[in-house]
Amino acid sequence: MSCTVTMTVNGKAVTREVEERTLLVHFLREHLALTGTHVGCDTSQCGACVVHVDGRSVKSCTMLAVQAEGASVTTIEGLAAADGTLHPMQAAFREHHGLQCGFCTPGMVMSAVDLVKDNPTPTESEVREGLEGNICRCTGYHNIVKAVLAGAEAMRAGEPAAAAAE
Amino acid sequence: MANPTGIGASVRRREDQRFLTGRGTYTEDIKRPNQTHVHMLRSPYAHARIRGVNAADALKAPGVVAVFTGADMAADNVNSLPCGWLIHSKDGSPMKEPPHFPIARDKARYVGDIVAVVIAETREQAKDAAELIDVGYEDLPAVVSLRQAVDGSAAQVHDEVAGNLCYDWHLGDAAAVDAAFAGAAHVTKLDLVNNRLVPNAMEPRAALGEYDPATGEHTLTTTSQNPHVIRLLMGAFVLGIPEHKLRVVAPDVGGGFGSKIFHYGEEAIVTWAAKKVGRPVKWTAERSESFLSDAHGRDHLTHAELALDKDGNFLALKVSTLANMGAYLSTFSTSIPTYLYATLLAGQYKTPAIYAEVKALFTNTAPVDAYRGAGRPEACYLIERLVEIAAREMGIDKTEIRRRNFVPAEAMPYQTPVALQYDTGDFAKNLDMALPAVDYAGFAQRKAEAAKRGRLRGIGFATYIEACGIAPSNVAGALGARAGLYESAEVRFHPTGSVTVFTGSHSHGQGHETTFAQIVAERFGIPIENVEIVHGDTAKVPFGMGTYGSRSLAVGGSALVKAMDKVERKARKIAAHLMEAAETDIEVKDGRFTVAGTDKSVGIGDIALAAYVPHNFPLDELEPGLDEQAFYDPKNFTYPNGCHVCEVEIDPDTGVVSVESFSAVDDFGRVINPLIVEGQVHGGIVQGIGQALFENCVYDEDTGQLITGSYMDYCMPRAHDVPSFAVSWHEDQPCTHNPLGVKGCGEAGTIGAAAAVMNAVIDALAEHGVTHLDMPATPEKVWRALNQSRPAMAAE
Amino acid sequence: MYAFEYRRPASLAEAVSLLSQAEEGKILAGGQTLLPTLKQRLARPTELIDLSKVPELKGIREDGGALVIGAFACHAEVGASDLVKRRIPALADLAVHIGDRQVRALGTLGGSIANADPAADYPAAVVALKGTVKTDLREIAGDDFFTGMFETALNPGEVITGVRFQAPDKAAYAKFRNPASRYAIVGVFVARFGNEVRVAVTGAGPSVFCVTDMEAALAKDFRADALSGVAVSANGLNGDIHASPEYRAHLVTVMAKRAVEACA
């Protein structure tokens, strides 16, 4: 029971034959070798697997690959500019030490970019609320929140990488 | 000018580039040609005899390569997973050490115990086939809680372990304690539960086994904090593979917090099975599997009494603790409630007499072992709760009672009555720094203001000390450690002056690739970009003990300094030769070697070149090359300490506790990278807050089923459950016995936070007559506590 | 998860037909509950019928004094809808507090009420806002729709197409979240229509229910204090490690008061 799926991932059209039960996250990791998107739980709570599908952040462990048929998917690998310049949110996480082991980081960054897109001037409390779908065990969130606030400011400043990424 | 990437600089982490762009390499990210997937079939029963395993149907299922059982491993002489620390009971008898096989043989002893494994082409096929395996279970009565385990009528987890008692250990002077209690003006008593936790590193455990029949070499890639320890334990004790034929790699590891120290059965299974099936075998835990099978933490039941004189001076402490080992002894399980717990019961205080007894018990639950802090948070929580209860009972301010009892800075080094010798620490200074920072004087006003909003506000302190950088091998050996506790480093200068460092420490979030490089950059006056840090591969680095117990910088960093000392000694000889000067005339600063009193000098880069292109080189006296290795075995533990202060508010209508502020003043000795140290404290604090308010691992007491088996029920702190923190430190009290003066910072937050939070919660509730609550202080627990102390509320 | 066949019908008629032909068909809406269930191998459908391309289930529109929200409207869409925010702000507020941001991007109204999780938020709104559940066959009054824990009045093969919510004069939803799962331990939706008040409670019991004593008290005096003497019995309420029946009963009163206060 397999089927063909076609979608755009990080700007490139991809087509693969997959089992219908293949989750989007496994499609990305195993069929496309995009292992930056992680799996940290099996109940859709930790958010390590967050990617953007048609511009919205979703949990790729809770979506079938076939559901993304025809969609445009951005993963952490596709966030930086083509020349390698980090997206302002990535740069802010580095500057403010918003990551330690790095495992939750891709999902955290993808969620942060999405929440700032909806709310370009979030308060600390709105950032904390906005990250409710992402769990980090290392940082205590302090520096993540700092990074997201700084990243939001940098995104407002309209760094070119922000436009290039989506 | 100071090196901008040297010691003390908040250098941005070098590892972040790969993590931020999705280019990290975690074990699950590795995909080998022809690899298979293994699914662990786990017991759904807490305690059951295994009458037989019929895998006939599973073997016929699509994609199945093999099914193995405990009998298959027994036939290959696979041994039990060893325990790394032998504890002797009061009566001198050794602890009970029942076997712990990677795949259970006769009985399953906890929900999650592996009873068979299925290897298939895909993960889903392995899971599909596992459902076709027929295991003949005979369900047996389970022992789940500590109370059940000590009950004489309870079932036995292991037939050969009477009363489920692993050991009955003690420390301290019972007679001195009894005498002190006899003369005490006041005795404060406390019964408490230290709640069981699941470490929950965000990367689930994973393991990939490979075997090369051409060379006979095995490779295990695993989510480990200490690959050499795994190689030694698995190679020598479990599978009988000599070390030169076994490579263990721990690549990027997504957090550990202790849970990835231990040698787990799954590692042995994939290594052994890869040779059996002739293909790579990979396993990655699902989160629900992690909940069942990762070693858990804490889980104590304690009665404690503190004797005081009329002025609130501590006279003696006696502690009796039951500690849950789970179904089997995990690698370091036995040392946690003994040498990492009872030895810390003096805390920051000069209590002259202390006696502790600890009974370790088997239950039909997952093994329990070190989790961030490991024994020390349990000790700190116990002491700091007792201190605040005593203060309230005696009408002494909670900071004043501490101040009266602190070991004064002048008394250092200080020998505690529970075996440790503190080298440095100025506990009053920590408190002095904290009080204005938290505006202690203004608390009453904040409380009154909260009351106007209908909220109960409380403030709590924790003045903690921990023992880190574990510790002299000879002392640990005498106490039962079956391993050495040194660390290794190799500093390899390359011909053109760049450096590769090989360290036995392992980084799984701590940022060693940055901090260790800073130490090298500082020493040799070179940019950090010229230094590469390599860790986590037994084929590359010298034998190392890995990372746990906040030891990396104190022990691994010291090994690095020793190796650099050796490099410098050799470089000095080479410099003397190159400049035709006496070695004694060479002065070294920031990697420049100068002939004293002249302008003749040579840099470390030129020396390296001369060492590898030895055309002009003292070959009679020196070997070519500039590559030195060192092992460092510390003289003592290090003793990070600090003062943590928390303020909470409670909504009396719902019982919800919110952490309003948390301030930490710490003494970590010398700080290498302030940015990283802050991050370590933040993370630790939230794990402590998690234990105090949210996290609780619950098994059903009748069936032994894990109730909190996913994030649906096990409450992980999220971003809006906690505030931002105020973190500060001083560097006035560097460690006296390691070359960097460092003490360690990885566990401090967790050690102080739970006690500070709970003290704040009880402070907020005190006016309602509440004297103690066990963690976690969940809304319902708090609401009930308030309700018991007030007239019945509308809903009752 | 177990293997299944995947279908993506392009019309309601095709969806209904596929569902009727399937051996054991299951509707895939947003998938935010179904996929975790399948991952845990707790269900074994032979076919998944994805409704994402069915046009009849889309959209949010006004219908007289009411709002009709398509079954496939995701929580984020309802929460962000200007129309919903204008006509029934409490409903938009409920939607933006379901699950988390990523769940709201995919989870749907139809999926939520069809699943009838006792701790879901939407059932409280459907009942309090005098909702009508529209299906391919009929209309079902919100009061009759939820029949028990994970049980509804839907027949096998019946597909929810949307829900009509009456716009109240005032309404608010107050939720006490399970700190781990973020589902409602207790959620109370209070809505006032002229002299009539509805107080619908989710999370506390096996299924959403109305507290008639509170409704009567509030109809007389629409202030939080009017609820002070109104107790809810713990009998029959849910109990788990997070909240006992007694605590849930207490929280119903607390959350109802907060909802009334939020109406002001």
Side-chain angles (χ1 to χ4, degrees):
Chain A
M1 281 185 276
S2 65
C3 60
T4 304
V5 293
T6 298
M7 66 185 86
T8 304
V9 178
N10 298 331
K12 285 191 204 115
V14 296
T15 299
R16 293 287 188 281
E17 189 82 8
V18 299
E19 262 199 296
E20 289 164 317
R21 60 176 162 172
T22 306
L23 294 166
L24 178 58
V25 67
H26 291 138
F27 179 75
L28 296 169
R29 291 181 54 83
E30 284 157 27
H31 295 264
L32 304 182
L34 292 170
T35 54
T37 303
H38 298 148
V39 179
C41 78
D42 44 17
T43 49
S44 315
Q45 275 150 325
C46 80
C49 66
V50 170
V51 300
H52 295 179
V53 174
D54 290 332
R56 297 175 307 176
S57 66
V58 303
K59 292 183 170 171
S60 63
C61 78
T62 313
M63 185 173 189
L64 299 170
V66 289
Q67 287 179 282
E69 172 72 28
S72 175
V73 176
T74 305
T75 71
I76 190 71
E77 289 92 342
L79 198 59
D83 69 354
T85 306
L86 293 181
H87 183 281
M89 190 59 78
Q90 289 170 309
F93 268 68
R94 182 187 161 103
E95 178 61 22
H96 296 281
H97 188 29
L99 64 154
Q100 291 181 22
C101 82
F103 196 80
C104 78
T105 308
M108 200 62 86
V109 170
M110 297 310 280
S111 291
V113 169
D114 184 41
L115 91 87
V116 170
K117 218 165 44 185
D118 268 8
N119 179 3
T121 54
T123 62
E124 174 178 339
S125 160
E126 285 167 347
V127 169
R128 289 183 180 275
E129 276 290 332
L131 294 176
E132 67 189 322
N134 294 79
I135 299 175
C136 170
R137 192 57 152 169
C138 293
T139 64
Y141 303 103
H142 180 111
N143 284 342
I144 289 178
V145 173
K146 242 168 118 173
V148 176
L149 290 168
E153 202 178 321
M155 282 169 71
R156 285 201 301 280
E159 304 230 355
E166 292 287 328
Chain B
M1 195 187 114
N3 187 326
T5 55
I7 290 174
S10 283
V11 177
R12 284 0 184 216
R13 296 202 325 169
R14 313 163 82 204
E15 35 279 88
D16 289 1
Q17 181 69 25
R18 67 176 188 275
F19 293 141
L20 280 165
T21 54
R23 266 91 178 172
T25 305
Y26 301 88
T27 299
E28 160 63 15
D29 298 341
I30 297 167
K31 191 172 174 180
R32 297 289 186 226
N34 209 26
Q35 84 180 8
T36 62
H37 296 266
V38 57
H39 176 73
M40 310 292 169
L41 180 64
R42 297 179 184 276
S43 170
Y45 296 101
H47 196 192
R49 199 167 300 285
I50 300 169
R51 291 292 181 201
V53 179
N54 182 348
D57 291 345
L59 283 163
K60 286 182 244 156
V64 170
V65 175
V67 176
F68 296 118
T69 65
D72 295 315
M73 282 197 132
D76 276 3
N77 297 315
V78 173
N79 286 317
S80 166
L81 305 172
C83 179
W85 203 300
L86 173 67
I87 301 294
H88 285 90
S89 287
K90 289 171 184 169
D91 63 6
S93 61
M95 68 186 190
K96 301 292 189 299
E97 239 176 314
H100 179 195
F101 295 112
I103 305 178
R105 295 184 185 175
D106 56 337
K107 285 204 302 191
R109 291 187 176 83
Y110 67 98
V111 174
D113 211 354
I114 299 169
V115 295
V117 304
V118 186
I119 297 169
E121 300 295 337
T122 72
R123 208 184 309 242
E124 290 293 341
Q125 284 174 333
K127 282 180 88 168
D128 290 344
E131 295 190 5
L132 303 174
I133 295 176
D134 182 18
V135 182
Y137 291 108
E138 180 192 336
D139 196 6
L140 300 170
V143 179
V144 181
S145 66
L146 282 165
R147 282 198 183 84
Q148 289 172 345
V150 286
D151 180 346
S153 63
Q156 295 209 162
V157 179
H158 299 274
D159 296 341
E160 65 272 36
V161 182
N164 297 309
L165 185 65
C166 176
Y167 56 74
D168 181 3
W169 174 90
H170 67 160
L171 179 70
D173 186 339
V177 166
D178 286 344
F181 269 84
H186 183 85
V187 174
T188 289
K189 298 181 183 181
L190 176 62
D191 285 288
L192 65 81
V193 174
N194 202 291
N195 45 323
R196 185 175 179 121
L197 303 176
V198 183
N200 271 307
M202 290 318 296
E203 179 206 21
R205 284 190 298 120
L208 169 64
E210 295 170 82
Y211 177 69
D212 183 345
T215 61
E217 282 176 14
H218 299 260
T219 302
L220 168 68
T221 307
T222 181
T223 50
S224 175
Q225 301 177 212
N226 33 228
H228 275 103
V229 174
I230 304 305
R231 189 184 70 174
L232 176 63
L233 294 176
M234 185 176 81
F237 295 91
V238 184
L239 297 179
I241 303 169
E243 280 145 306
H244 65 296
K245 292 294 184 189
L246 174 58
R247 175 183 178 188
V248 178
V249 184
D252 285 329
V253 172
F257 314 113
S259 69
K260 293 173 182 169
I261 298 172
F262 325 121
H263 174 39
Y264 286 94
E266 291 90 348
E267 294 170 322
I269 289 167
V270 299
T271 307
W272 170 80
K275 184 176 178 185
K276 296 289 276 187
V277 301
R279 295 171 62 182
V281 176
K282 184 163 154 188
W283 170 75
T284 303
E286 297 181 11
R287 179 58 58 185
S288 48
E289 236 183 324
S290 305
F291 270 102
L292 291 176
S293 66
D294 288 1
H296 295 171
R298 319 283 193 251
D299 204 345
H300 286 190
L301 208 55
T302 293
H303 175 77
E305 299 187 12
L306 177 68
L308 303 97
D309 71 12
K310 64 177 177 30
D311 298 319
N313 294 306
F314 306 161
L315 301 175
L317 172 67
K318 67 180 165 195
V319 174
S320 174
T321 292
L322 303 180
N324 199 337
M325 294 285 104
Y328 304 101
L329 297 181
S330 174
T331 311
F332 289 111
S333 55
T334 51
S335 64
I336 310 306
T338 49
Y339 293 107
L340 291 177
Y341 165 68
T343 53
L344 271 301
L345 286 171
Q348 297 190 348
Y349 312 110
K350 52 187 192 234
T351 315
I354 298 175
Y355 178 70
E357 47 190 354
V358 178
K359 286 190 172 81
L361 294 148
F362 290 105
T363 59
N364 291 113
T365 63
V368 180
D369 206 323
Y371 165 59
R372 200 173 194 171
R376 290 150 292 167
E378 294 92 313
C380 173
Y381 179 67
L382 165 68
I383 302 161
E384 295 302 299
R385 286 289 302 123
L386 271 175
V387 166
E388 292 219 352
I389 295 171
R392 191 163 282 115
E393 286 173 349
M394 298 185 74
I396 305 172
D397 178 84
K398 61 183 81 173
T399 63
E400 177 54 29
I401 197 169
R402 287 180 164 93
R403 216 180 269 286
R404 276 180 211 176
N405 288 283
F406 280 153
V407 175
E410 312 82 76
M412 298 292 169
Y414 175 78
Q415 177 64 50
T416 75
V418 274
L420 299 180
Q421 190 185 74
Y422 302 158
D423 63 338
T424 55
D426 187 343
F427 310 137
K429 179 181 175 110
N430 301 337
L431 184 61
D432 288 342
M433 281 175 69
L435 291 180
V438 304
D439 183 22
Y440 185 52
F443 174 73
Q445 199 183 332
R446 292 192 293 282
K447 188 175 175 69
E449 185 272 330
K452 281 189 205 143
R453 290 182 279 110
R455 295 285 189 274
L456 309 171
R457 193 165 179 118
I459 187 167
F461 287 70
T463 46
Y464 75 92
I465 187 162
E466 50 170 330
C468 294
I470 310 173
S473 291
N474 55 356
V475 174
L479 300 177
R482 288 162 166 167
L485 290 162
Y486 47 83
E487 196 47 90
S488 67
E490 180 180 340
V491 174
R492 182 181 297 167
F493 264 86
H494 301 294
T496 58
S498 62
V499 184
T500 303
V501 171
F502 301 87
T503 171
S505 296
H506 187 275
S507 184
H508 30 278
Q510 297 89 341
H512 297 171
E513 290 166 42
T514 305
T515 42
F516 280 35
Q518 285 179 256
I519 294 168
V520 177
E522 170 95 14
R523 177 70 175 265
F524 294 114
I526 55 179
I528 197 170
E529 292 74 24
N530 293 8
V531 185
E532 192 68 24
I533 306 294
V534 174
H535 65 86
D537 185 344
T538 62
K540 293 179 181 169
V541 295
F543 196 102
M545 295 307 296
T547 288
Y548 43 85
S550 307
R551 73 193 301 272
S552 293
L553 203 52
V555 192
S558 298
L560 173 58
V561 171
K562 270 189 78 176
M564 291 193 298
D565 290 345
K566 290 186 185 177
V567 166
E568 190 180 292
R569 273 203 293 278
K570 184 169 180 180
R572 180 191 291 270
K573 289 184 199 294
I574 299 168
H577 175 86
L578 290 175
M579 295 186 286
E580 296 174 334
E583 196 189 321
T584 46
D585 289 340
I586 303 292
E587 289 173 349
V588 187
K589 190 166 187 290
D590 297 336
R592 273 224 87 75
F593 295 70
T594 307
V595 181
T598 74
D599 58 358
K600 271 167 73 178
S601 76
V602 59
I604 187 75
D606 298 326
I607 293 171
L609 188 64
Y612 287 98
V613 188
H615 295 160
N616 174 20
F617 197 79
L619 287 165
D620 297 343
E621 209 192 314
L622 290 178
E623 298 164 15
L626 195 56
D627 184 348
E628 298 289 343
Q629 199 178 94
F631 288 80
Y632 175 81
D633 201 324
K635 293 188 188 68
N636 189 356
F637 289 92
T638 60
Y639 297 97
N641 58 86
C643 175
H644 291 186
V645 190
C646 178
E647 284 189 35
V648 301
E649 282 192 6
I650 292 172
D651 174 352
D653 289 339
T654 60
V656 170
V657 177
S658 64
V659 178
E660 296 297 314
S661 70
F662 196 104
S663 301
V665 174
D666 293 295
D667 165 11
F668 299 136
R670 197 165 169 212
V671 168
I672 306 296
N673 183 321
L675 191 69
I676 287 177
V677 168
E678 278 180 35
Q680 289 293 309
V681 177
H682 297 153
I685 289 171
V686 171
Q687 288 184 13
I689 293 175
Q691 173 166 27
L693 299 181
F694 306 113
E695 300 178 40
N696 201 22
C697 176
V698 183
Y699 282 92
D700 183 284
E701 289 226 358
D702 295 325
T703 64
Q705 295 296 323
L706 180 62
I707 294 174
T708 50
S710 78
Y711 295 144
M712 295 292 281
D713 286 307
Y714 188 90
C715 183
M716 292 283 279
R718 287 172 170 83
H720 63 278
D721 293 325
V722 292
S724 288
F725 309 110
V727 172
S728 60
W729 56 74
H730 65 82
E731 298 185 51
D732 297 354
Q733 301 284 325
C735 172
T736 55
H737 57 80
N738 66 44
L740 290 165
V742 297
K743 296 185 176 179
C745 65
E747 296 160 294
T750 308
I751 291 168
V757 173
M758 287 309 293
N759 279 336
V761 169
I762 302 305
D763 185 57
L765 298 173
E767 64 199 83
H768 295 274
V770 178
T771 56
H772 180 70
L773 284 180
D774 281 322
M775 300 185 287
T778 58
E780 175 160 6
K781 203 181 277 178
V782 171
W783 171 75
R784 283 191 179 275
L786 279 169
N787 253 19
Q788 279 157 9
S789 62
R790 288 198 311 197
M793 299 179 73
E796 295 238 313
Chain C
M1 60 184 86
Y2 297 109
F4 52 77
E5 285 185 42
Y6 173 84
R7 300 273 183 267
R8 192 191 296 121
S11 70
L12 182 59
E14 189 189 351
V16 170
S17 154
L18 284 171
L19 204 50
S20 69
Q21 290 160 24
E23 192 185 327
E24 188 154 344
K26 199 126 184 99
I27 290 174
L28 174 62
Q32 300 304 286
T33 302
L34 180 60
L35 289 174
T37 308
L38 296 182
K39 283 199 288 185
Q40 290 170 69
R41 297 185 169 227
L42 297 174
R44 193 169 196 163
T46 55
E47 277 139 291
L48 280 196
I49 294 147
D50 179 353
L51 300 183
S52 63
K53 297 287 186 265
V54 175
E56 293 92 329
L57 310 182
K58 305 272 173 90
I60 301 174
R61 61 189 167 81
E62 265 184 300
D63 177 13
L67 276 185
V68 177
I69 301 183
F72 212 83
C74 70
H75 312 323
E77 183 185 348
V78 174
S81 158
D82 287 335
L83 184 57
V84 179
K85 284 197 267 191
R86 198 169 64 241
R87 299 290 295 137
I88 318 180
L91 188 60
D93 181 63
L94 174 146
V96 299
H97 289 101
I98 297 174
D100 55 48
R101 180 176 191 83
Q102 291 73 31
V103 166
R104 293 193 290 271
L106 294 175
T108 64
L109 166 62
S112 170
I113 63 172
N115 186 50
D117 189 310
D121 298 300
Y122 264 129
V126 170
V127 170
L129 296 173
K130 302 202 267 188
T132 306
V133 178
K134 297 154 72 90
T135 76
D136 59 316
L137 299 175
R138 57 184 170 146
E139 297 200 342
I140 308 169
D143 288 345
D144 303 329
F145 183 78
F146 300 99
T147 55
M149 194 175 274
F150 297 107
E151 283 175 11
T152 68
L154 289 173
N155 293 321
E158 192 171 6
V159 179
I160 299 171
T161 58
V163 178
R164 183 190 300 114
F165 293 98
Q166 301 301 325
D169 302 330
K170 278 182 175 168
Y173 179 63
K175 167 159 71 166
F176 190 87
R177 280 196 293 207
N178 178 320
S181 71
R182 329 306 273 179
Y183 275 91
I185 279 182
V186 167
V188 181
F189 204 114
V190 172
R192 181 178 176 184
F193 300 87
N195 290 329
E196 182 189 359
V197 175
R198 290 223 152 192
V199 178
V201 178
T202 190
S207 181
V208 60
F209 63 91
C210 287
V211 187
T212 47
D213 291 352
M214 287 186 176
E215 291 174 344
L218 289 171
K220 274 187 226 143
D221 178 8
F222 195 75
R223 289 182 311 118
D225 285 350
L227 299 178
S228 292
V230 188
V232 174
S233 166
N235 280 344
L237 296 190
N238 301 332
D240 54 34
I241 57 166
H242 304 286
S244 66
E246 296 73 29
Y247 182 54
R248 277 186 162 87
H250 166 73
L251 286 176
V252 169
T253 305
V254 175
M255 291 298 121
K257 284 181 171 182
R258 289 184 184 179
V260 172
E261 278 162 7
C263 285

